[in-house]
Amino acid sequence: PLAAPDTVHRERFIEALNDVFGRLQVDYAAWHLMLSGGLDSRCILLMLQNKAGLRSVTWGLASALKHPESDAVVAKKLADYFGTSHEYFATDLSAEKIETVFDRLLVAGEARTDTISAYMDGCRIWERLFSAGISGVIRGDVVFSPYRVYSDDDVRRIDGAMFMSDYGNLAQYAQVFGLNQYWPERLHRRVGETLSSWRDRLTYEYRAPVIWAALNEIKSAYVEVMNPLLSRRILQVIASLPDHLRDGRSMYQKLVYDLSPPIEFAEEVAIQNTAAILASPSVSRYLRSSLDSERARTVLPGGLVDYILGNMSSEPARPRVRRRLPKFIRRLIPERLRIAKNRLTQARDIAVNHLAMRAHIIVEMDRRLAEDSKALMP
């Protein structure tokens, strides 16, 4: 951290934003802004110095347009306020065969991620953008973490770095696989490093290049992805902030709030809940058929496959928007209590339908790579 008053840190951050966006030249005929009702894309919208001709897109369930506090509605209000062209794409489950949808995700993303909720339209959003001659999208990834951390477990959970041994219903299979999962030395917490600094360093060194990059790779099969808030100039300033200005995005959030027009921030996420997608009859049937096979039992331990098949749920999924607690209630609950509640309520068993999807990805990708290797053999 740089030893300086909070006001100086804020000024340095604003200077970095102005520098990056002042030099940013974008052909809006070929690039779209990915606009949600949240903080990051709004920051980009506010900082773009030339908005003439800007076009933005938002996506989610068609039903989200009926929820005033959803990303779908709030993003449209922002676009209208700034007079920019805006389009909403519905990501409801595609009418195509489920195997086609999953196949397309594997081809585009190379099985690097199991985050599927925004892609169950069969990647139609990205196909349409590509077909319309759109070269790329502007995205708002940023390394400010919205979460405070109080333990090593908090850091690993927030940065998406759990081991098989962390889950009660997977630990035994880690032994069957002969897996001894461990942190690379460079990712261990350093002497004198605070939990907050460790959390954010893992975002730089693990979450961004592994998890975020995998999500962007799906999009990159169709369009390029630009991330202005990940510019080196901005990252250097963020990395030099003291913990209390990074925790909970305190400085960043206040800055965006101060610059923002009087339009509320979204309280609901417009995309479908992953658990509901995986429990839908068509998806669960497809995953069952994939795993109830000789190949699945060859690639994975037979006991694991039988456990999954015997415990999957097939309840019909109801299209619904994910709802957060109202903001005034969240403010009344101390942050430390919210973290403690999450620790107590977070399942130490991975959801079986989610496990089924991961198992399917492994089995199907194994098949594809085997076929690819044969094609390359003399």
Side-chain angles (χ1 to χ4, degrees), residues 71-85:
D71 282 323
V73 175
V74 175
K76 179 66 165 59
K77 288 183 180 179
L78 279 170
D80 289 345
Y81 180 90
F82 287 102
T84 63
S85 174

Side-chain angles (χ1 to χ4, degrees), residues 19-196:
D19 178 36
V20 169
F21 284 92
R23 290 186 288 112
L24 189 65
Q25 297 183 10
V26 182
D27 177 7
Y28 292 146
W31 288 77
H32 280 4
L33 171 64
M34 297 167 64
L35 184 63
S36 72
L39 206 65
D40 306 326
S41 61
R42 184 179 301 212
C43 178
I44 293 175
L45 178 61
L46 293 169
M47 296 307 303
L48 286 172
Q49 297 187 4
N50 173 25
K51 299 180 178 63
L54 176 65
R55 294 184 289 176
S56 57
V57 294
T58 306
W59 57 87
L61 294 173
S63 59
L65 292 169
K66 301 177 182 178
H67 295 252
E69 296 182 331
S70 74
D71 282 323
V73 175
V74 175
K76 179 66 165 59
K77 288 183 180 179
L78 279 170
D80 289 345
Y81 180 90
F82 287 102
T84 63
S85 174
H86 184 73
E87 191 170 2
Y88 185 76
F89 293 104
T91 57
D92 297 67
L93 189 61
S94 172
E96 298 176 288
K97 293 181 179 179
I98 294 299
E99 51 263 43
T100 302
V101 174
F102 274 90
D103 180 73
R104 198 167 289 143
L105 285 173
L106 287 175
V107 171
E110 296 184 335
R112 290 177 59 195
T113 179
D114 64 353
T115 303
I116 62 169
S117 54
Y119 304 98
M120 294 309 290
D121 64 336
C123 294
R124 291 297 185 196
I125 297 173
W126 310 107
E127 180 187 354
R128 286 173 61 182
L129 290 176
F130 172 80
S131 298
I134 302 304
S135 301
V137 293
I138 308 170
R139 180 173 171 80
D141 289 330
V142 65
V143 295
F144 278 111
S145 174
Y147 306 105
R148 298 179 188 271
V149 288
Y150 301 100
S151 70
D152 288 9
D153 276 353
D154 288 343
V155 173
R156 288 203 301 120
R157 183 165 54 250
I158 284 168
D159 279 307
M162 304 292 278
F163 297 153
M164 288 181 71
S165 57
D166 291 321
Y167 298 100
N169 58 345
L170 273 185
Q172 61 177 311
Y173 297 108
Q175 298 176 359
V176 172
F177 279 121
L179 291 178
N180 180 25
Q181 293 177 300
Y182 61 91
W183 277 109
E185 189 61 35
R186 66 183 178 84
L187 297 183
H188 279 275
R189 186 179 176 188
R190 296 168 179 167
V191 176
E193 188 172 35
T194 66
L195 284 171
S196 294

Side-chain angles (χ1 to χ4, degrees), residues 325 333 335-346:
L325 282 173
I333 304 174
E335 182 76 24
R336 190 179 289 270
L337 286 181
R338 292 205 298 270
I339 292 285
K341 172 184 173 294
N342 289 340
R343 287 199 201 105
L344 292 172
T345 58
Q346 185 169 18

Side-chain angles (χ1 to χ4, degrees), residues 167-231:
Y167 298 100
N169 58 345
L170 273 185
Q172 61 177 311
Y173 297 108
Q175 298 176 359
V176 172
F177 279 121
L179 291 178
N180 180 25
Q181 293 177 300
Y182 61 91
W183 277 109
E185 189 61 35
R186 66 183 178 84
L187 297 183
H188 279 275
R189 186 179 176 188
R190 296 168 179 167
V191 176
E193 188 172 35
T194 66
L195 284 171
S196 294
S197 294
W198 184 36
R199 171 203 61 204
D200 294 343
R201 183 168 64 83
L202 289 185
T203 300
Y204 285 88
E205 298 188 17
Y206 170 73
R207 189 169 183 81
V210 175
I211 297 175
W212 293 353
L215 288 169
N216 284 333
E217 181 168 355
I218 295 176
K219 303 173 185 65
S220 296
Y222 301 85
V223 294
E224 297 294 334
V225 179
M226 179 194 303
N227 258 307
L229 297 178
L230 293 183
S231 296

